Amino acid sequence: MLTEEAIFRSFADRLRFPGYFGRNWDALVDCLDDLCVEVTGGVGFAGVIHDADRLLRADHFPLFVSVLCQGADRANSEIDLDGFSLDRPAFAEHFLFEFSAFDRERVAQQVEQPDLTVTTGEGFVAAALCSEVWH
C-alpha cells in the first residue's frame, strides 16, 4: 500500500467494494461507511494492515489514517452526516496498523493532524476524529 492506487485496489478487492467505487479518498470513506451486512455479516470488522513500517514513510500516510477514521466513524454511527437516522444499525469498524519496529513517538508524530485526536499508551497509538472538527 505504498501508493494511493495500491490502497484503493487492496481495499476494493479485499472488501468487495462495488463496481462504482471511484478509487479516490472520498469514495473510500463512502465505501467503508457502506460495509454493512453484505460484507461484514452485520457484525462489523477489524482491518489489519500488516508490515506498516514502510507505509509510515509514505507521504499519504496521515491522510490514509484520517480517511480510515472518517469511514469508521460514519460506520459506527446510526445517523448520517445531516443528523438523520440511517436505515441500518451502526456496526463496529476498526483498523489496526501492525509495525515490525514500533516507535510510538514516530507513529504519533506522523499521524498528528488537526482533524484527529491522537492518544498514546504503552505499545499503542490510537487515532480518532477530533469531535471539535468533525461533530
Side-chain angles (χ1 to χ4, degrees):
M1 290 198 233
L2 298 179
T3 67
E4 293 177 8
E5 181 53 39
I7 289 171
F8 303 144
R9 186 176 50 253
S10 292
F11 273 72
D13 291 347
R14 287 182 179 70
L15 297 177
R16 299 190 320 248
F17 284 176
Y20 59 80
F21 171 54
R23 298 190 182 276
N24 61 61
W25 295 114
D26 290 333
L28 181 58
V29 171
D30 291 341
C31 284
L32 290 173
D33 179 31
D34 290 340
L35 290 177
C36 297
V37 177
E38 183 179 329
V39 174
T40 68
V43 296
F45 77 100
V48 180
I49 299 160
H50 300 282
D51 301 319
D53 301 80
R54 290 182 20 196
L55 182 58
L56 185 62
R57 295 187 298 264
D59 290 338
H60 60 268
F61 181 70
L63 177 59
F64 183 32
V65 172
S66 178
V67 164
L68 294 178
C69 288
Q70 292 171 52
D73 185 74
R74 286 173 48 184
N76 294 338
S77 179
E78 291 182 328
I79 58 171
D80 67 16
L81 296 174
D82 296 319
F84 296 106
S85 293
L86 293 169
D87 60 351
R88 62 149 176 85
F91 63 96
E93 184 173 291
H94 303 281
F95 296 94
L96 172 77
F97 289 88
E98 183 181 65
F99 297 94
S100 299
F102 180 69
D103 180 339
R104 180 178 61 203
E105 288 76 28
R106 182 171 178 225
V107 172
Q109 181 181 17
Q110 288 294 102
V111 171
E112 187 79 26
Q113 42 191 322
D115 69 332
L116 297 179
T117 298
V118 178
T119 307
T120 62
E122 188 60 39
F124 76 90
V125 174
L129 294 184
C130 176
S131 61
E132 294 170 0
V133 174
W134 287 96
H135 296 285

